[in-house]
Amino acid sequence: MAYSSNTRVAHIMDIAYVPSTITRQARSHNRPWVVHNLPPVKFSPSGLASRFVDLKHWLRGRKAVDLVHVHYATNGYYLWGFDGPSVLHFHGSDARINSQQPGVRQVIEASIKAASAVVYATPDLGETLSTLAPKATYLPNPAPILPPGFVPEKAVPNRIVFNARWDDTKGGMKLVEAAKELVNYGFDVHSIDWGTYRQEARDAGVIMHPLMPMNDFASLLSTGSVVVGQFGFRALSISDMLTLKVGRPLMTIPLTGLYEDSFPLPGAELDTLAEQVADFATAKLDSVDSSVLTDWIDEQHGIESCLQTWEDLYRSIS
């Protein structure tokens, strides 16, 4: 059946809120899209049992679905045996880390073969997947949508906010070291209490906030004079996009591919991050026009253009 506005699309797993963001927009246009979230992966009898029960329910109910879009490649077995068109969507660590793990790699390889199309969420993943899935194509993430009437907080002078979790995939201990230097310089450094090195970040003097809903996180980001993004890969994370949506200067790794000639802010190097952030906050901050940042992210990752691109993909495989 050719894709149409009546095609029933099921998104499997709400990775970084990308599926729920695009689905809300699709439903505002009367598209019958749904998001099916999965139980968290826990390698325990109860954890594995919850996944098994969920999979059993999914297999019984998927006859009511016309197209399946599975997010995060380790979940690819949810499209095995499906009769209609299907999409396997790589989001990051599934390509960089999970695909190298014995056993998991075989699940991913089987899922690539079973899918009608394979896509990836950030431009840098094309090179990572060049051998594993050479026919994979880039499918842009929509930027987060802020609620109607959302007003960013005023930036707090001297405040730096780190938007990424404290993990090796985002910059690891070098991010912690940069945060410690900024604290020693006299900056008020804030972040989310999340990730492998969160205790080390706390010990470095970072003021930690609990995990919170996206709208509250957007408000926290907007209090930063400068926001430090992720440094694990040369692309924008969802938190980076949210930073730009609230019009705050983002210091992140130099970007590649589609962004490198148009991104309105300078990139930073992890080894000299603290010095670069301090210099930007004290000498260059007044030159930043927040409307330039919000306009750029809307142009590159606006929800309507992303919805059209995703639907074009569905038409191509139906």
Side-chain angles (χ1 to χ4, degrees), residues 257-318:
L258 303 177
Y259 304 131
E260 57 188 345
D261 295 327
S262 66
F263 192 62
L265 291 166
E269 298 298 335
L270 193 51
D271 288 340
T272 55
L273 177 59
E275 293 87 346
Q276 290 178 276
V277 171
D279 177 62
F280 194 87
T282 56
K284 301 174 184 176
L285 194 55
D286 291 341
S287 65
V288 176
D289 183 346
S290 62
S291 66
V292 172
L293 306 182
T294 56
D295 289 347
W296 185 88
I297 195 64
D298 286 341
E299 178 183 334
Q300 297 289 330
H301 293 277
I303 186 64
E304 276 298 319
S305 63
C306 284
L307 178 58
Q308 180 177 333
T309 302
W310 286 47
E311 290 196 292
D312 287 345
L313 168 70
Y314 298 158
R315 291 187 186 93
S316 73
I317 62 175
S318 298

Side-chain angles (χ1 to χ4, degrees), residues 11 23 34 43 217 263 301:
H11 291 275
T23 293
V34 296
F43 292 101
F217 186 42
F263 192 62
H301 293 277

Side-chain angles (χ1 to χ4, degrees), residues 177-246:
E177 293 163 6
K180 184 175 182 178
E181 286 187 61
L182 288 167
V183 170
N184 291 338
Y185 291 161
F187 286 99
D188 181 29
V189 182
H190 291 247
S191 186
I192 296 295
D193 190 13
W194 187 27
T196 306
Y197 303 116
R198 60 186 183 274
Q199 183 59 53
E200 287 83 352
R202 189 182 296 108
D203 293 342
V206 178
I207 298 169
M208 302 296 243
H209 299 257
L211 287 171
M212 60 187 70
M214 187 192 71
N215 296 344
D216 294 337
F217 186 42
S219 293
L220 174 63
L221 292 175
S222 68
T223 66
S225 295
V226 177
V227 176
V228 177
Q230 66 82 27
F231 280 77
F233 51 94
R234 297 184 182 276
L236 295 174
S237 69
I238 298 299
S239 295
D240 291 340
M241 292 184 187
L242 187 59
T243 299
L244 298 172
K245 286 286 287 187
V246 299

Side-chain angles (χ1 to χ4, degrees), residues 70-77 88-91 94-95 107-108 111:
V70 176
H71 296 265
Y72 211 80
T74 58
N75 300 317
Y77 54 90
L88 183 69
H89 198 144
F90 284 87
H91 280 264
D94 48 355
V107 170
I108 292 175
S111 302

Side-chain angles (χ1 to χ4, degrees), residues 118-146:
V118 180
V119 299
Y120 49 88
T122 58
D124 63 297
L125 289 176
E127 183 176 354
T128 303
L129 293 169
S130 59
T131 300
L132 181 64
K135 294 183 179 180
T137 58
Y138 171 58
L139 188 67
N141 282 331
I145 300 175
L146 297 171

Side-chain angles (χ1 to χ4, degrees), residues 18-32:
V18 168
S20 56
T21 297
I22 198 82
T23 293
R24 278 195 300 272
Q25 191 67 15
R27 292 181 72 87
S28 75
H29 292 286
N30 299 314
R31 307 291 195 263

